[in-house]
Amino acid sequence: MKDQQAMIPLDQYHEYPPDTMRQRAAGFLADMQRRRSVRDFSDRPVPRDVIENCIRAAGTAPSGANKQPWFFVAVSDPAVKRQIREAAEAEEREFYARRAPQDWLDDLQHLGTDWQKPFLETAPTLIVIFAQRYGLLPDGRKTKHYYVPESVGITTGMLITAVHHAGLVSLTHTPSPMDFLTRILKRPDNERPFLILVVGYPAEGVQVPDIGKKPLDEIATFI
Ligand code: IYR
């Protein structure tokens, strides 16, 4: 059995007076309400250090037994983006033409999506998030990971929030199946692709679907 970890004081915690807390919560809400998924990206490059800090912020996420079962591949190389686009579009062609049941296609109608994914090449950065089904020690031994989908979902949400907070836009993209990402990005066998986060500036004059979010009483109850 392992010894318990040494404990340190929580000196980075900061309590705000209730009114400050209200202001911060309301201000954060207003900022989050401005986040939209965008499908048309400008090709303007984004600073690498901004992407690095967004990934660092995502890496602060809680995870099962603090195993941090995630890995991020930030792709800006045009040749690699092209490979990803070509492979993703091959899957999406099948999806839209054959694989998707009609009710799924009906549910996507209002988003106006189709098999074409030009943003995978236009956007300056694709952050591909991998879930580590198990860990690998430097000597090659396997270690167990816990609550992997939950942990990777949380880090992804924090990455989306960090990207928005930095002043960039993103699109969650999940071609299915996406094992081609393992091959193209040469990831090890303990990792499975989880999601592509397309990141950049919005294209000029971009339009987004006229859709909204559910009100509080439809997403929460207080007991
Ligand atoms: N992966 C496809 C289809 C798609 C599925 C869902 I659920 C969406 O919210 C959006 C798209 C695509 O990217 O077009």
Side-chain angles (χ1 to χ4, degrees), residues 10-206:
L10 179 66
D11 45 18
Q12 64 270 57
Y13 172 73
H14 198 103
E15 180 177 325
Y16 301 105
D19 276 332
T20 311
M21 201 160 40
R22 284 195 182 91
Q23 256 174 26
R24 290 177 59 92
F28 188 70
L29 167 62
D31 190 52
M32 290 300 282
Q33 284 172 328
R34 294 188 307 104
R35 190 201 60 78
R36 294 297 311 259
S37 292
V38 159
R39 289 185 171 75
D40 291 298
F41 286 80
S42 155
D43 62 3
R44 279 165 66 202
V46 298
R48 155 109 174 229
D49 55 300
V50 169
I51 300 297
E52 287 177 355
N53 274 342
C54 289
I55 295 174
R56 285 191 181 99
T60 67
S63 62
N66 193 35
K67 295 289 185 175
Q68 306 167 56
W70 43 67
F71 195 82
F72 302 88
V73 182
V75 181
S76 53
D77 181 331
V80 179
K81 286 194 296 177
R82 174 184 298 251
Q83 283 181 53
I84 292 175
R85 176 185 180 176
E86 282 169 3
E89 286 186 337
E91 299 295 356
E92 296 291 1
R93 259 183 204 279
E94 276 299 303
F95 174 85
Y96 282 94
R98 271 172 287 276
R99 281 204 287 261
Q102 191 55 46
D103 53 352
W104 194 344
L105 293 177
D106 293 345
D107 276 340
L108 293 179
Q109 176 100 47
H110 72 292
L111 299 177
T113 56
D114 60 28
W115 64 270
Q116 296 181 81
K117 305 297 170 192
F119 52 76
L120 291 173
E121 271 190 277
T122 320
T125 308
L126 311 176
I127 306 179
V128 185
I129 301 150
F130 287 84
Q132 298 180 331
R133 297 180 299 149
Y134 54 90
L136 285 176
L137 295 174
D139 66 7
R141 274 183 305 147
K142 293 179 181 179
T143 58
K144 278 187 84 173
H145 282 173
Y146 309 93
Y147 296 99
V148 173
E150 291 85 350
S151 302
V152 180
I154 294 167
T155 196
T156 300
M158 291 175 61
L159 181 61
I160 293 165
T161 306
V163 164
H164 170 69
H165 184 253
L168 296 169
V169 295
S170 71
L171 174 68
T172 50
H173 182 48
T174 50
S176 157
M178 45 183 168
D179 6 309
F180 62 85
L181 292 165
T182 299
R183 180 172 43 77
I184 294 173
L185 302 176
K186 303 185 175 66
R187 296 310 305 162
D189 196 50
N190 61 322
E191 293 182 3
R192 289 288 173 267
F194 183 76
L195 185 146
I196 305 176
L197 195 70
V198 186
V199 176
Y201 294 97
E204 213 162 310
V206 70

